[in-house]
Amino acid sequence: MSSYLIGLVGSGIGPSASPALHEREADQLGLRYVYRLLDLDVLRRPVADVLAAARLAGFDGLNVTHPAKQAVLPHLDELSPEAAALGAVNTVVFDGGRAIGHNTDATGFARSLSRGLPDVRLDNVVLLGAGGAGAAVAHALLALGTGRLTVHDVDGERSAKLVSALRSRFGAGRADVGGLDAVRRADGLVHATPTGMAAHPGSPLPAGLLRPELWVADIVYRPLETALLAAARARGCRVLHGGGMVVLQAAESFRLFTGVDPDPERMLRHFDALDGETARAA
């Protein structure tokens, strides 16, 4: 029986569903699989130290979440083409002493949106958040055919850097930096900041900007019903919570760690059982 030691690096990750998602799927596939939380708030060590310690301890791989998806980059030996293009890593595979960074967030979000809100308009979309998760979502949206993407982040320099990368990859005119008022003219809104998480309660924008014609997707999944989604639902918007994305990116990470193809539908059912709610749109 093959065995694997995997970890999750990030801050405030106690409520994460990742350990149960990975371990339950491994059980179904006959793999011995241990998944550990490496919480930066608890360890009080920089991500470089945690990465080095995991490598020495014989970990087979790591998932990486907020706030380390970009901070981990200088400490890796190699990046996959996707991770290099996004400038963010959520999966690290240790292979022959080398730490190789990958990104499964973009495909996870794209698949979640396509299955959860398959018929929504993508002509004009607003993205809130230009960090590691936001970069993945931005690339996914443009790859899915979004005509114009407006990126808003409280850090204007970070927004500008992401937009520059998007223009280099997808061409000029498809991405711009903008303010929250762009939501008034948008077909869809995607939220990719920590706001709304259990440790960061609240909504990233005033409810008055929401209207029934707008679809709203949130990548936060703890809780599934964030303040933003509750407000959007009350305004008549179609909404998509972050459950689908977290499951589908986890499935791809699992494949990278083990070389074994997981069953994404089964993992979605695992998540539903864990959370008591379906990992799909509403």
Side-chain angles (χ1 to χ4, degrees), residues 63-66 69 82 86 88-91 102-112 131-141 219 244-250 252-253 256:
N63 283 132
V64 182
T65 189
H66 173 80
K69 292 182 179 183
E82 182 75 357
L86 271 58
V89 160
N90 80 323
T91 302
H102 301 263
N103 194 301
T104 68
D105 280 336
T107 55
F109 176 79
R111 291 170 182 167
S112 179
V137 168
H139 285 258
L141 285 166
I219 72 164
M245 177 181 173
V246 73
V247 173
L248 295 169
Q249 65 81 22
E252 179 61 14
S253 289
L256 289 168

Side-chain angles (χ1 to χ4, degrees), residues 83-178:
L86 271 58
V89 160
N90 80 323
T91 302
V92 177
V93 176
F94 295 115
D95 184 9
R98 294 173 60 77
I100 304 169
H102 301 263
N103 194 301
T104 68
D105 280 336
T107 55
F109 176 79
R111 291 170 182 167
S112 179
L113 185 66
S114 294
R115 65 183 288 127
L117 295 173
D119 56 349
V120 292
R121 291 177 59 90
L122 294 172
D123 294 343
N124 188 347
V125 179
V126 173
L127 170 66
L128 303 183
V137 168
H139 285 258
L141 285 166
L142 290 178
L144 285 171
T146 294
R148 186 177 187 85
L149 182 68
T150 301
V151 179
H152 175 76
D153 193 285
V154 294
D155 184 337
E157 183 177 342
R158 187 160 60 179
S159 296
K161 183 178 179 181
L162 175 56
V163 166
S164 177
L166 294 171
R167 288 175 174 173
S168 295
R169 187 178 187 187
F170 295 99
R174 295 189 63 192
D176 287 295
V177 175

